[in-house]
């Protein structure tokens, strides 16, 4: 089996464990449940199929039956916490714990990397900034970030970016970007992207008051549309975003890092036929 740190779904790990045991010996879900000490022979099958959740007391039982110890056990328990989370704040808390445990045990976890990268705007900014400043100290790089980053934070971020293979540190101390993109599970990436969008929106608000109109461009449209028009606008926005990315990739003399936010969101509830009627 793959190492447990390559999993982002505890149910998938349990299914793979079961399949691996079944290939090499006579193994059933009843046997699995019995090894774990569960009275119901179908309980772990229901958990792995997503029809119920693994209870807190059940974590230790299931982990013991799968031979998980040390960090592997801790990671499995955190996967359960993440998978059973009822809202975004609980999921974020679980991801923070995964990132912390991975860092403490010097183990790379894909979703932890994704969460660390998108947790604040600092990682993407410094990943763009460091290659532009060959020979610069951590303090000099930090001084270019307008919303305030310390030299120590910059050093820590650079070490993370190199470890995550998002930057390459050359023998002369300069940095180069890799083509690698941060990846995570289908649950984690949307979650961390929402976190990033919130932080970038906060920086956009600061830019309105701090930056001159020559350096920034803000515009907006308030409009009434239907679902079909909304979908057409989204399609056009995606095409526009790709053209912007292409323009940026062609730039040869980069001298500043910018953030471009493309946003469209509802300002009212949907008007139904019933709501159009007289009061």
């Amino acid at each position: 089996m793959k190492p447990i740190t390559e999993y982002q779904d505890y149910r998938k790990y349990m299914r793979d464990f079961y399949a691996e045991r079944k290939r090499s010996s006579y193994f059933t879900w009843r046997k699995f449940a019995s090894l774990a000490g569960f009275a119901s022979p179908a309980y772990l099958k229901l958990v792995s199929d997503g029809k119920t959740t693994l209870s807190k007391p059940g974590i230790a039982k299931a982990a013991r039956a799968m031979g998980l110890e040390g960090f592997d056990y801790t990671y499995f328990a955190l996967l359960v916490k993440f998978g059973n989370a009822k809202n975004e704040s609980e999921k974020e808390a679980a991801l923070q714990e995964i990132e912390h445990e991975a860092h403490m045990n010097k183990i790379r976890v894909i979703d932890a990397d994704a969460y660390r990268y998108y947790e604040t705007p600092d990682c993407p900014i410094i990943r763009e900034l460091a290659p532009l400043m060959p020979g610069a100290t951590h303090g000099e790089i930090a001084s270019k970030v307008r919303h305030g980053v310390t030299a120590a934070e910059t050093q820590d971020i650079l070490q993370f970016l190199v470890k995550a293979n998002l930057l390459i540190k050359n023998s002369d101390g300069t940095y180069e970007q890799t083509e690698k993109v941060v990846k995570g599970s289908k649950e984690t990436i949307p979650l961390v992207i929402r976190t990033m969008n919130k932080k970038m929106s906060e920086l956009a608000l600061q830019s309105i008051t701090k930056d001159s109109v020559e350096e920034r461009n803000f515009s907006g449209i308030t409009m009434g549309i239907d679902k079909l028009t909304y979908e057409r606008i989204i399609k056009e926005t995606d095409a526009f975003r790709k053209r912007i990315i292409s323009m940026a990739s062609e730039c040869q003399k980069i001298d500043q890092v910018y953030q471009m936010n493309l946003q469209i969101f509802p300002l009212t509830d949907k008007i139904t036929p019933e709501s159009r009627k007289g009061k």
Side-chain angles (χ1 to χ4, degrees):
M1 285 181 60
K2 298 182 297 184
I4 191 171
T5 52
E6 292 188 23
Y7 287 81
Q8 295 86 42
D9 184 339
Y10 75 92
R11 293 181 173 89
K12 178 68 166 59
Y13 183 81
M14 291 173 63
R15 290 195 298 270
D16 284 0
F17 171 82
Y18 172 80
E20 181 72 15
R21 286 291 302 270
K22 194 171 182 64
R23 274 194 296 269
S24 59
S25 64
Y26 178 74
F27 196 67
T28 64
W29 286 105
R30 178 185 291 273
K31 179 66 173 178
F32 193 1
S34 177
L35 285 174
F38 291 109
S40 170
Y43 176 63
L44 291 181
K45 178 68 165 61
L46 293 174
V47 170
S48 69
D49 288 343
K51 295 179 180 179
T52 189
T53 57
L54 188 62
S55 65
K56 288 184 178 180
I59 294 173
K61 292 182 178 181
R64 182 175 62 248
M66 293 186 289
L68 298 176
E69 299 178 347
F71 175 76
D72 288 349
Y73 168 79
T74 301
Y75 183 77
F76 178 75
L78 290 174
L79 279 187
V80 176
K81 185 175 182 179
F82 177 75
N84 293 351
K86 297 180 176 61
N87 52 54
E88 285 188 16
S89 61
E90 289 183 6
K91 284 184 178 293
E92 288 185 9
L95 280 175
Q96 285 180 326
E97 288 187 64
I98 289 173
E99 196 277 333
H100 174 73
E101 289 295 332
H103 177 73
M104 293 296 292
N105 288 272
K106 297 182 179 180
I107 296 173
R108 183 179 177 188
V109 177
I110 294 176
D111 274 5
D113 282 350
Y115 185 82
R116 170 73 188 277
Y117 185 75
Y118 288 113
E119 185 179 12
T120 72
D122 301 341
C123 283
I125 291 173
I126 290 176
R127 183 175 183 243
E128 294 293 327
L129 196 57
L132 304 180
M133 303 177 65
T137 65
H138 299 135
E140 289 169 339
I141 295 174
S143 69
K144 296 297 183 182
V145 182
R146 293 191 174 185
H147 64 271
V149 177
T150 67
E153 288 169 339
T154 299
Q155 180 181 20
D156 183 58
I157 289 169
L158 286 170
Q159 289 174 346
F160 160 71
L161 292 172
V162 171
K163 181 182 177 183
N165 195 28
L166 294 167
L167 282 180
I168 296 173
K169 187 175 183 180
N170 299 315
S171 57
D172 60 0
T174 60
Y175 292 91
E176 292 181 29
Q177 286 190 1
T178 66
E179 296 298 323
K180 183 176 174 63
V181 177
V182 176
K183 296 181 180 179
S185 68
K186 63 182 179 180
E187 283 190 305
T188 303
I189 286 298
L191 177 66
V192 296
I193 289 295
R194 283 196 291 271
T195 300
M196 172 62 74
N197 286 339
K198 291 177 184 177
K199 300 292 178 61
M200 286 299 187
S201 294
E202 292 170 2
L203 294 183
L205 290 175
Q206 294 177 23
S207 179
I208 292 176
T209 56
K210 289 184 177 181
D211 300 328
S212 66
V213 293
E214 289 79 13
E215 286 189 296
R216 60 171 175 81
N217 184 294
F218 285 82
S219 61
I221 305 171
T222 303
M223 54 191 170
I225 56 175
D226 60 9
K227 182 174 177 57
L228 179 60
T229 305
Y230 170 80
E231 291 174 349
R232 289 177 58 198
I233 291 172
I234 293 301
K235 186 176 180 180
E236 184 67 24
T237 301
D238 286 341
F240 169 68
R241 179 177 55 83
K242 290 176 182 177
R243 292 197 298 271
I244 293 296
I245 293 172
S246 178
M247 291 169 61
S249 65
E250 293 171 0
C251 181
Q252 299 296 318
K253 297 181 179 180
I254 301 171
D255 60 9
Q256 199 166 5
V257 179
Y258 270 79
Q259 169 70 17
M260 183 173 183
N261 297 329
L262 300 175
Q263 302 166 337
I264 178 170
F265 54 90
L267 294 173
T268 70
D269 292 333
K270 187 169 291 187
I271 307 300
T272 63
E274 290 76 16
S275 62
R276 295 177 187 274
K277 298 178 180 178
K279 297 179 181 179

